[in-house]
Amino acid sequence: MKLSEIDTPAVLIDIDRAEANMQRFQAYADKHELAVRPHIKTHKLPRFAKRQVELGAVGITCQKLGEAEVMADAGLTDIFLPYNIIGKAKLGRLLALNERVTLAVTADSDVTVRGLSETFNDAPKPLTVLVECDTGMGRCGVQSPDEAVALAKLIDAAGGLRFAGFMTYPKTGAIVENEAFLSAAKEKAIAAGLDPRIISNGGSPDMWRAHEVKSATEHRPGTYIYMDRFQAAKGVGTWDDCALTVLTTVVSRPTENRAIVDAGSKALTSDTFGMDGFGYIVGYPDAVVTSLSEEHGTIDFSACEDKPQIGDRLRIIPNHACVVSNLFDEVVLISGNEVVEIEPVAARGRVD
Amino acid sequence: MKLSEIDTPAVLIDIDRAEANMQRFQAYADKHELAVRPHIKTHKLPRFAKRQVELGAVGITCQKLGEAEVMADAGLTDIFLPYNIIGKAKLGRLLALNERVTLAVTADSDVTVRGLSETFNDAPKPLTVLVECDTGMGRCGVQSPDEAVALAKLIDAAGGLRFAGFMTYPKTGAIVENEAFLSAAKEKAIAAGLDPRIISNGGSPDMWRAHEVKSATEHRPGTYIYMDRFQAAKGVGTWDDCALTVLTTVVSRPTENRAIVDAGSKALTSDTFGMDGFGYIVGYPDAVVTSLSEEHGTIDFSACEDKPQIGDRLRIIPNHACVVSNLFDEVVLISGNEVVEIEPVAARGRVD
């Protein structure tokens, strides 16, 4: 099947670029003796999760219990779920999942720890728990190394749980602060007689500086497999590394410089990460995706000498690849202009 | 089943509010002798599409062929698809759909008209086509009443097509410009011997002023059935009219004023419509949803005297209801705190 037979909008994944991206970071991490635990939220495909492990990843990261269940069903055996699992329904599912795979979760409060301990106290197998640390991101996480160690002690003493270390999703660029927090927590934990064997750091934006966070034992990159406009803007990859594009058709040319395509926010999402515009159009570096409705993308071609016509097909690198994967029931795997396979996005829409 | 048994995040639809919203606009339109043709992109549910017709709508509007096919399968018989349908695959599907229901589409270029005419030239039943007009929105559409009439003539002369009038999705607030364009196009078309029997106007933000666009014969409101934070900000409805909420759980309270909930951009979307924050928290009018990651919502409760605790459940009115419907495989229909039904979102994810 040729790419020209695919109707639009569609998500295309260049498998050769994805493979190169996976290999490149794995090689970097191997060189620095850093374990890789890729975040599958970006692709949501068992195929790539398995490939990441084949290439040397120690396991995978999922953000939702539902994603982890899909990956376990597909044969993945080592899953990290860096989330506070709260409430009876999810705790029951977590208990079942822990029997099937090597599993770890995070906690950042005594409330979470209590819920986990009550659930796993009589379980045949203890649950591995890391303490989530807010090293600058301002999202979840304990606020200081002392708090981290206090919570680690609580986990260590709780029935059914096994303390394994510290986890963070760091603020982009804040390498020094991140390392300062993690190394302090690690030292204090060791001094307290605990064994923080895993120090899990994350994120693609700073992934080529992952080795500077010297305390970290593993890194969880997500977007690195596909790259996107944001990663390219940050210099993490080039346009030629971007493996995910949205294939779209020009459906209207109302004015000399305006084109409307059939990819709107339902295909590209409204994520901007503080950038202007909603994507990068391959072959039209000076075009600007000025606005999105749900089913319309509005593009300004005034800075481009050649302008596409109605019926022309464009490929757009989205601002943020991960959220695009979640909008499509299937993606089109390509190699060059050949369609390799149309693959269901198995872990799409797993909201809980 | 009680609401308390629903795990989070989940989309709740208050069916009593939805019913009242549908009735309220239908009554307004009846009073002004304006036909209603609701846009189903907001709910994507056959149940509500049928109810809109029962209450007096002349038919429905879909934005995607795939949505229209779902609605036709569910028994809806009169569908308007205000989109330039381009390319062989979609034109073939359009031909099949036209045999099953009363169908109309739009065109804003001779390229679109040519494709439609080539497809329907030998069809047993002609296709009804309206000219899309850009009356100020800056999206699709011909740029002037003269262009509109020229394209209308082309449709009228084309084999397999029947010209039926003009359509616009107007710029919010630009009532006078919208009416000026549409009335000029209408008069010029009549002067040219054409019959623009449908003048189709759209949008929820200005729906209570729809009667001021005197040329319009029908209105296509979408969001009105659920309302959302943007419509409330525009005064189209009140918080108490908002039928769609995202039910979420507080999973972390890292600081005195910060809470993290399990609804992120995968539940609420990054749509802002120029507003600050990503939603309105029911019962906490002064709380601010400051940022979203895919699976985390960060909320600042510093302006609130009472602050929720870990495990508490919140209901968030999103900035934009329509895009939320597209993110969930099912929605929970509620009446008060009773769960009425868990309903699959039949037309979710219909990307083409």
Side-chain angles (χ1 to χ4, degrees), chain A residues 151-172:
Chain A
L151 196 61
K153 286 180 185 169
L154 197 73
I155 294 164
D156 187 58
L161 308 183
R162 184 157 45 192
F163 168 72
F166 301 104
M167 167 265 167
T168 186
Y169 185 82
K171 181 177 170 184
T172 299

Side-chain angles (χ1 to χ4, degrees), chain A residues 70-83:
Chain A
V70 168
M71 291 295 153
D73 289 346
L76 278 298
T77 58
D78 191 322
I79 302 176
F80 181 34
L81 189 55
Y83 212 83

Side-chain angles (χ1 to χ4, degrees), chain A residues 7-9 41 44 63-64 67 82-84 86 89-90 93 108-109 111-112 134 137-141 143 147 249-255 258 260-263 265-266 270-271 293-296 298 310-311 320 322-323 326-329 347-352, chain B residues 7-9 41 44 63-64 67 82-84 86 89-90 93 108-109 111-112 134 137-141 143 147 249-255 258 260-263 265-266 270-271 293-296 298 310-311 320 322-323 326-329 347-352:
Chain A
D7 203 2
T8 66
K41 74 185 179 96
K44 303 184 195 294
Q63 203 66 353
K64 286 281 163 171
E67 292 175 344
Y83 212 83
N84 287 286
I86 305 277
K90 288 195 184 74
R93 289 163 62 195
D108 74 355
S109 71
V111 179
T112 298
D134 178 4
M137 170 72 175
R139 204 169 67 181
C140 292
Q143 298 295 300
E147 270 188 63
T249 300
V250 176
V251 296
S252 176
R253 289 287 276 108
T255 69
R258 189 199 312 161
I260 310 295
V261 294
D262 65 359
S265 69
K266 238 178 74 183
S270 302
D271 279 18
S293 311
E294 279 146 82
E295 309 291 3
H296 302 81
T298 302
I310 294 172
H320 186 193
C322 314
V323 286
N326 190 52
L327 291 171
F328 285 75
D329 290 349
R348 184 208 60 73
R350 303 293 154 154
V351 294
D352 63 10
Chain B
D7 203 0
T8 65
K41 76 188 177 96
K44 303 183 193 296
Q63 203 67 349
K64 285 280 161 172
E67 291 175 345
Y83 212 81
N84 287 287
I86 306 276
K90 288 196 184 74
R93 288 163 62 194
D108 73 356
S109 72
V111 180
T112 299
D134 178 4
M137 170 72 176
R139 206 169 64 181
C140 291
Q143 298 295 300
E147 271 189 61
T249 300
V250 177
V251 295
S252 176
R253 289 287 277 105
T255 68
R258 189 199 312 163
I260 309 295
V261 294
D262 65 358
S265 69
K266 238 178 74 184
S270 301
D271 280 17
S293 312
E294 279 147 81
E295 309 292 3
H296 302 82
T298 302
I310 295 172
H320 186 193
C322 313
V323 286
N326 190 52
L327 291 171
F328 285 75
D329 289 348
R348 184 207 61 75
R350 304 292 154 158
V351 293
D352 61 10

Side-chain angles (χ1 to χ4, degrees), chain B residues 171-254:
Chain B
K171 182 178 169 183
T172 300
I175 309 278
V176 174
E177 298 84 330
N178 191 19
E179 170 58 13
F181 191 120
L182 293 174
S183 60
K186 189 175 187 171
E187 280 164 31
K188 284 168 189 268
I190 291 169
L194 298 167
D195 178 19
R197 63 187 172 84
I198 304 169
I199 308 290
S200 184
N201 187 24
S204 294
D206 284 329
M207 70 183 198
W208 301 121
R209 298 182 64 188
H211 64 286
E212 295 178 40
V213 184
K214 297 205 181 300
S215 305
T217 63
E218 71 174 25
H219 197 80
R220 309 180 316 277
T223 317
Y224 83 113
I225 183 173
Y226 288 166
M227 298 294 179
D228 55 23
R229 184 166 174 244
F230 180 68
Q231 302 300 334
K234 287 270 167 196
V236 182
T238 67
W239 296 123
D240 290 340
D241 296 325
C242 290
L244 183 150
T245 51
V246 173
L247 182 68
T248 184
T249 300
V250 177
V251 295
S252 176
R253 289 287 277 105

Side-chain angles (χ1 to χ4, degrees), chain A residues 122-137:
Chain A
D122 301 319
K125 186 177 151 194
L127 179 70
T128 300
V129 185
L130 282 74
V131 172
E132 179 160 0
C133 302
D134 178 4
T135 64
M137 170 72 175

